[in-house]
C-alpha cells in the first residue's frame, strides 16, 4: 500500500468529517436560538423529551451538539436531570439519520452530483443574506465528496490483488463469529470513535469495510455498537470541569448506551437475524467470493437499519426506567465536597473541544451570568464588612469580631482575584470563538459580551476598593463613623444593591421583558443621593461633627458606590444592545 493511497484514505475521511461539521454548524446557525428554546421548553415529561431530542438532533445532524446543549442546560438549571435523560434518549434516535445519509452515499454513486452543490454553495456564500445556506450546501457537498472518495479508494484497494490479499488476510483472523472477536471489534469501535471524536466518520469506515467484503457483517455490527459507546465520551470529557448536575447528565448519556449494548450482546444473534430479515440480506454468504461484491453493497443498509432499530428499541425499553437511571447516576456521581464558590473555575465554558459558535456563545453568556451573580455576592460581603466595622467600633479590637473582619476581607480580596481571572478566561474563550466563520449577529453578540465582562470586572474592582477603604479605616487611628454616616452608607449601599439586582434580573431573563428605565431611575437616584451627601458632608465637617479625615473616607465609599452603579448601567446597556433572544 503506497503512501499516496494512505493519505488519500485519511484525506477523504478528513473531508467527510469537515463536511459533516460544516453542515451541522450551518444548520445550528439557521435554527440555533429556536432549537435551544424548543430544548428548554418542550420537555414537560419523558415522552415529549424523547421527541424533542429526536427533533433537535435530526435538525442539526449532530447528537453530540444536542447532548452538549442538554448538559449545558442541566448545568444552568434550565433542565432537570430526568428531562435531560429523556432528551438524550431522543438524540440517540435522531442521530440514526446520519447513518442513513452514509448508507445513501455508499449505495449510490453521487460523487459527480456534488459539484453543482459546490457551485450553488459558493454563489450563495457571496450573497450575504444566503451565506448560511451556502455553508450548508458546501458542507453537504464536502461530506458526499469525502464519502465517495473513501468508497472509491476502498474498492480500489480490494480490487488490487497485492493489497487485497494483505487486507483480507489481516481481517480474516477476526471474521470467525465468536465472543472474543466480537468483543475485540466492540472495543475497537469505542476506541476509534473516542480518538476521532466522530461516530459518523467511523460509521462510514465500517460501511466501506463491509461493502468491500473485507469485514463480515457481524463484526461490522460490533463496530457500530462500539461507536454507540465511544460517542458518549465527548460529553463526559466536556463535563469533567462542570458542576455535579452536568456530570450526572453526561454520565447518564454513557450509562444508557452501555445498558443498550449489554442487552444487544445478550440477544445478538437473534437481533442480527431480525435486522437481516428486515433488509433481505443473507449473512451466511461468503465475503471472499468476487461474485458477491455487488450484493455486499447492501451491507451499508443493514448497518443503518441495525443502528436505527437498536437505538429505537433501547429508548422504548429504557424510557420506563428514567427515574431509576436518575437515582443510579446520582448515586455514582457524588456532589463535590469543596466549596465551588470559593475556588475559581468556569462552570459552563470548558477547555478542550470547541463547539459550534451558536453553542459557544450560549455557554459564554451563561458564564457571564454567573460572573454577574458572583459580583453581587461580592458586594454583599462589602456590606457585611461595613457592619462588622460598625460592631467593632463598640468593642475591643482583637476579639472574635476582629477575626471575622479579617476573614471577610480575605474573602473579598480572593473574589477580586477571581473576577480578574474570569474576565481573562471568558475573553480568551470569546477570542477563540471569534476565529470561526461567524454571522454579523454573532459578532455583535461577542462584542457586547466583551464589554459586559470588562464592566463586571470593574464592579469587582469597586467592591475591593470599598473593602480596602473600610479596612484602612479599621486599621488606622481615625475616629469611627457617626450613626448618621452609617445610616447614609447603608441607604446608599441598598440602592446600589438594587441596581445589581436589576442587572442580574436582565442577565437571567429575556431582554424584551426587561424595563431598562428602572435601572436608569436607580442610577439617577444614586447620583442625586451622592450629591446630597456630598453637600451634607461639607457642612458636617465645618460644624465639627466629625474630622475631615473621617469625612474623606466616608465620601470615598459614597463615590465608589456611585461609580459601581455606573458600571452596572454599562453592563445593562451592553446587554440590551445585543440581539440575543434568550439568556
Amino acid at each position: 500500500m503506497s503512501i499516496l493511497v494512505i493519505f488519500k484514505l485519511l484525506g477523504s475521511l478528513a473531508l467527510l468529517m469537515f463536511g459533516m461539521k460544516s453542515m451541522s454548524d450551518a444548520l445550528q446557525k439557521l435554527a440555533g436560538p429556536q432549537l435551544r428554546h424548543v430544548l428548554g421548553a418542550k420537555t414537560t415529561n419523558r415522552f415529549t423529551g424523547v421527541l424533542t431530542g429526536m427533533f433537535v438532533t435530526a435538525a442539526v445532524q449532530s447528537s453530540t451538539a444536542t447532548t452538549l446543549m442538554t448538559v449545558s442546560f442541566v448545568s444552568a438549571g434550565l433542565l432537570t436531570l430526568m428531562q435531560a435523560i429523556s432528551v438524550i434518549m431522543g438524540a440517540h434516535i435522531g442521530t440514526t439519520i446520519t447513518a442513513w445519509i452514509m448508507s445513501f452515499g455508499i449505495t449510490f454513486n453521487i460523487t459527480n452530483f456534488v459539484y453543482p452543490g459546490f457551485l450553488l454553495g459558493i454563489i450563495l456564500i457571496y450573497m450575504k443574506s444566503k451565506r448560511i445556506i451556502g455553508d450548508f450546501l458546501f458542507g453537504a457537498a464536502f461530506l458526499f465528496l469525502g464519502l465517495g472518495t473513501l468508497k472509491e479508494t476502498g474498492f480500489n484497494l480490494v480490487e488490487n490483488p497485492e493489497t487485497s490479499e494483505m487486507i483480507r488476510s489481516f481481517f480474516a483472523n477476526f471474521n470467525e463469529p465468536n465472543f472474543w472477536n466480537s468483543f475485540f471489534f466492540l472495543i475497537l469501535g469505542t476506541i476509534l470513535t473516542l480518538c476521532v471524536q466522530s461516530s459518523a466518520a467511523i460509521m462510514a469506515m465500517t460501511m466501506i469495510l463491509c461493502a468491500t467484503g473485507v469485514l463480515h457483517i457481524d463484526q461490522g455490527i460490533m463496530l457500530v455498537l462500539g461507536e454507540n459507546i465511544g460517542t458518549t465520551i465527548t460529553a463526559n470529557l466536556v463535563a469533567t470541569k462542570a458542576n455535579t448536575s452536568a456530570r450526572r447528565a453526561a454520565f447518564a448519556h454513557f450509562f444508557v448506551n452501555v445498558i443498550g449494548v449489554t442487552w444487544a450482546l445478550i440477544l445478538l444473534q437473534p437481533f442480527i437475524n431480525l435486522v437481516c430479515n428486515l433488509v433481505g440480506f443473507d449473512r451466511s454468504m461468503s465475503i471472499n467470493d468476487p461474485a458477491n461484491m455487488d450484493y455486499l453493497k447492501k451491507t451499508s443498509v443493514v448497518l443503518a437499519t441495525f443502528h436505527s432499530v437498536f437505538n429505537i428499541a433501547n429508548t422504548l425499553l429504557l424510557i420506563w426506567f428514567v427515574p431509576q437511571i436518575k437515582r443510579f447516576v446520582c448515586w455514582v456521581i457524588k456532589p463535590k465536597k469543596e466549596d465551588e464558590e470559593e475556588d475559581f473555575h468556569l462552570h459552563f465554558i470548558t477547555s478542550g473541544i470547541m463547539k459550534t459558535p451558536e453553542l459557544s456563545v450560549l455557554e459564554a453568556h451563561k458564564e457571564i451570568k454567573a460572573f454577574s451573580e458572583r459580583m453581587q455576592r461580592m458586594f454583599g460581603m462589602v456590606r457585611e464588612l461595613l457592619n462588622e466595622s460598625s460592631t467593632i467600633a463598640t468593642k475591643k479590637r482583637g476579639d472574635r469580631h476582629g477575626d471575622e473582619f479579617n476573614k471577610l476581607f480575605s474573602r473579598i480580596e480572593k473574589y477580586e482575584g477571581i473576577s480578574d481571572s474570569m474576565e481573562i478566561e471568558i475573553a480568551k474563550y470569546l477570542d477563540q470563538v471569534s476565529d470561526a466563520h461567524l454571522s454579523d449577529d454573532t459578532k455583535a453578540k461577542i462584542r457586547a459580551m466583551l464589554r459586559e465582562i470588562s464592566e463586571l470586572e470593574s464592579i469587582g474592582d469597586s467592591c475591593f476598593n470599598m473593602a480596602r477603604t473600610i479596612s484602612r479605616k479599621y486599621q488606622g487611628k481615625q475616629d469611627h463613623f457617626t450613626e448618621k454616616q452609617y445610616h447614609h452608607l447603608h441607604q446608599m449601599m441598598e440602592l446600589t444593591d438594587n441596581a445589581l439586582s436589576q442587572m442580574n434580573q436582565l442577565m437571567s431573563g429575556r431582554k424584551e421583558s426587561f424595563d431598562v428605565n428602572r435601572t436608569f431611575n436607580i442610577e439617577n437616584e444614586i447620583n442625586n443621593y451622592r450629591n446630597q451627601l456630598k453637600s451634607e458632608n461639607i457642612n458636617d465637617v465645618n460644624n465639627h461633627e466629625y474630622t475631615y479625615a473621617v469625612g474623606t473616607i466616608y465620601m470615598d465609599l459614597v463615590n465608589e458606590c456611585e461609580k459601581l452603579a455606573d458600571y452596572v448601567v454599562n453592563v445593562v446597556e451592553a446587554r440590551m444592545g445585543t440581539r440575543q433572544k434568550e439568556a
Side-chain angles (χ1 to χ4, degrees):
M1 190 186 300
S2 68
I3 297 295
L4 182 61
V5 174
I6 293 174
F7 278 121
K8 193 172 182 181
L9 280 171
L10 295 176
S12 58
L13 190 62
L15 201 59
L16 183 150
M17 293 170 62
F18 176 75
M20 197 75 204
K21 185 179 186 307
S22 299
M23 192 171 71
S24 177
D25 287 355
L27 287 168
Q28 290 184 63
K29 287 177 187 176
L30 281 169
Q34 290 77 11
L35 289 177
R36 290 201 304 272
H37 176 68
V38 169
L39 192 62
K42 307 298 182 184
T43 52
T44 53
N45 58 59
R46 69 185 82 171
F47 301 102
T48 57
V50 168
L51 293 174
T52 301
M54 287 171 53
F55 169 74
V56 173
T57 305
V60 301
Q61 278 301 296
S62 174
S63 61
T64 299
T66 304
T67 305
L68 291 177
M69 259 191 278
T70 304
V71 169
S72 181
F73 271 42
V74 173
S75 184
L78 301 177
L79 284 178
T80 65
L81 183 56
M82 283 187 64
Q83 288 173 326
I85 292 170
S86 62
V87 170
I88 288 167
M89 288 180 178
H92 293 161
I93 298 176
T95 194
T96 59
I97 293 176
T98 305
W100 284 105
I101 293 173
M102 299 296 170
S103 174
F104 176 76
I106 291 172
T107 307
F108 303 97
N109 186 10
I110 57 169
T111 307
N112 294 331
F113 295 94
V114 302
Y115 299 104
F118 281 125
L119 177 62
L120 183 58
I122 197 67
I123 292 172
L124 293 175
I125 285 173
Y126 280 101
M127 295 171 60
K128 196 172 181 181
S129 59
K130 306 292 184 184
R131 186 170 61 188
I132 297 176
I133 299 174
D135 288 340
F136 169 76
L137 287 175
F138 244 67
F142 274 125
L143 167 65
F144 286 114
L145 181 61
L147 195 57
T149 308
L150 188 66
K151 173 181 142 184
E152 179 188 345
T153 308
F155 274 97
N156 288 341
L157 281 172
V158 173
E159 290 169 2
N160 186 315
E162 183 182 338
T163 55
S164 175
E165 183 61 30
M166 182 176 64
I167 295 171
R168 288 181 187 278
S169 61
F170 172 78
F171 281 102
N173 297 321
F174 306 99
N175 274 338
E176 184 67 27
N178 59 50
F179 172 78
W180 292 111
N181 284 343
S182 297
F183 185 73
F184 169 76
F185 280 98
L186 176 71
I187 298 300
L188 182 63
T190 302
I191 293 173
L192 286 175
T193 307
L194 173 60
C195 294
V196 177
Q197 289 293 321
S198 172
S199 59
I202 306 303
M203 175 66 78
M205 287 176 57
T206 305
M207 288 179 173
I208 294 293
L209 289 171
C210 290
T212 54
V214 168
L215 196 63
H216 193 274
I217 188 65
D218 289 23
Q219 312 307 346
I221 283 174
M222 294 309 299
L223 279 174
V224 171
L225 289 175
E227 291 157 17
N228 274 272
I229 297 176
T231 194
T232 65
I233 305 297
T234 303
N236 282 274
L237 288 174
V238 170
T240 51
K241 294 185 179 179
N243 60 23
T244 302
S245 297
R247 288 185 291 119
R248 285 172 174 170
F251 181 72
H253 180 36
F254 169 77
F255 183 61
V256 165
N257 272 5
V258 168
I259 293 177
V261 169
T262 302
W263 69 253
L265 289 174
I266 295 171
L267 304 173
L268 188 61
Q269 295 307 316
F271 194 14
I272 295 176
N273 285 331
L274 171 66
V275 172
C276 289
N277 289 335
L278 283 174
V279 178
F281 180 82
D282 181 10
R283 60 188 285 230
S284 64
M285 65 161 33
S286 173
I287 61 175
N288 296 315
D289 188 349
N292 295 329
M293 289 302 293
D294 288 337
Y295 186 68
L296 283 172
K297 291 180 182 179
K298 204 172 184 179
T299 54
S300 63
V301 180
V302 176
L303 292 172
T305 304
F306 177 85
H307 193 233
S308 297
V309 173
F310 166 74
N311 282 292
I312 292 170
N314 194 40
T315 298
L316 291 177
L317 174 66
L318 296 181
I319 190 67
W320 309 102
F321 299 98
V322 171
Q324 288 77 16
I325 294 171
K326 175 195 171 186
R327 282 199 293 271
F328 177 74
V329 298
C330 289
W331 176 74
V332 173
I333 307 293
K334 306 292 186 185
K336 292 181 180 178
K337 291 183 180 179
E338 67 268 16
D339 184 1
E340 295 184 353
E341 183 57 42
E342 294 300 314
D343 294 307
F344 167 68
H345 66 270
L346 301 179
H347 291 275
F348 304 101
I349 293 173
T350 49
S351 59
I353 303 161
M354 284 294 293
K355 292 154 283 287
T356 61
E358 274 292 338
L359 186 56
S360 298
V361 169
L362 171 70
E363 292 189 340
H365 178 69
K366 288 177 182 174
E367 202 65 70
I368 293 171
K369 173 178 170 287
F371 190 3
S372 176
E373 291 169 350
R374 193 187 289 262
M375 290 303 96
Q376 185 167 14
R377 287 194 293 274
M378 185 180 181
F379 182 72
M381 293 178 200
V382 174
R383 298 180 72 181
E384 286 181 45
L385 194 72
L386 182 65
N387 289 334
E388 280 294 326
S389 71
S390 174
T391 304
I392 291 170
T394 60
K395 299 186 179 289
K396 293 181 181 179
R397 297 186 184 186
D399 66 3
R400 66 181 182 84
H401 292 284
D403 293 338
E404 286 298 318
F405 182 92
N406 292 329
K407 285 180 184 177
L408 199 52
F409 180 78
S410 295
R411 286 187 71 197
I412 295 170
E413 189 173 26
K414 188 172 184 178
Y415 263 59
E416 201 276 333
I418 289 173
S419 71
D420 291 342
S421 299
M422 289 191 77
E423 180 194 18
I424 292 168
E425 292 302 317
I426 297 173
K428 190 186 300 181
Y429 183 77
L430 290 172
D431 185 55
Q432 287 179 295
V433 175
S434 64
D435 288 338
H437 179 58
L438 304 175
S439 64
D440 292 339
D441 188 49
T442 306
K443 288 177 183 175
K445 291 177 187 176
I446 290 175
R447 284 195 298 271
M449 286 179 174
L450 288 170
R451 184 185 174 197
E452 288 169 18
I453 59 173
S454 174
E455 299 297 339
L456 286 171
E457 194 275 333
S458 296
I459 290 175
D461 288 344
S462 281
C463 290
F464 187 51
N465 288 340
M466 282 188 271
R468 284 194 299 182
T469 300
I470 295 170
S471 178
R472 188 172 71 246
K473 180 182 176 301
Y474 167 67
Q475 302 292 347
K477 303 278 187 180
Q478 292 92 352
D479 295 334
H480 298 296
F481 290 140
T482 65
E483 277 191 32
K484 186 171 75 170
Q485 283 178 312
Y486 275 120
H487 175 70
H488 289 159
L489 286 173
H490 288 315
Q491 278 191 315
M492 174 62 85
M493 287 187 173
E494 182 66 28
L495 287 171
T496 308
D497 192 61
N498 289 343
L500 287 165
S501 296
Q502 286 292 306
M503 176 184 74
N504 281 315
Q505 181 183 333
L506 171 62
M507 302 300 281
S508 302
R510 291 176 173 273
K511 67 177 186 180
E512 291 84 353
S513 59
F514 182 75
D515 184 6
V516 72
N517 289 324
R518 294 183 66 181
T519 297
F520 293 144
N521 290 340
I522 293 173
E523 189 213 10
N524 289 332
E525 194 174 348
I526 289 173
N527 289 341
N528 293 334
Y529 195 46
R530 188 273 313 267
N531 294 336
Q532 175 191 329
L533 294 180
K534 187 176 180 181
S535 299
E536 288 182 6
N537 178 65
I538 294 171
N539 292 331
D540 291 342
V541 170
N542 289 334
N543 293 333
H544 305 290
E545 292 189 21
Y546 44 80
T547 65
Y548 181 83
V550 170
T552 300
I553 294 174
Y554 167 65
M555 285 310 301
D556 283 346
L557 292 174
V558 171
N559 288 327
E560 204 64 58
C561 282
E562 191 275 331
K563 257 200 286 188
L564 192 153
D566 288 341
Y567 298 138
V568 168
V569 171
N570 292 341
V571 173
V572 170
E573 287 178 343
R575 172 70 175 131
M576 293 299 289
T578 67
R579 290 187 174 182
Q580 193 167 325
K581 295 295 182 188
E582 57 186 86

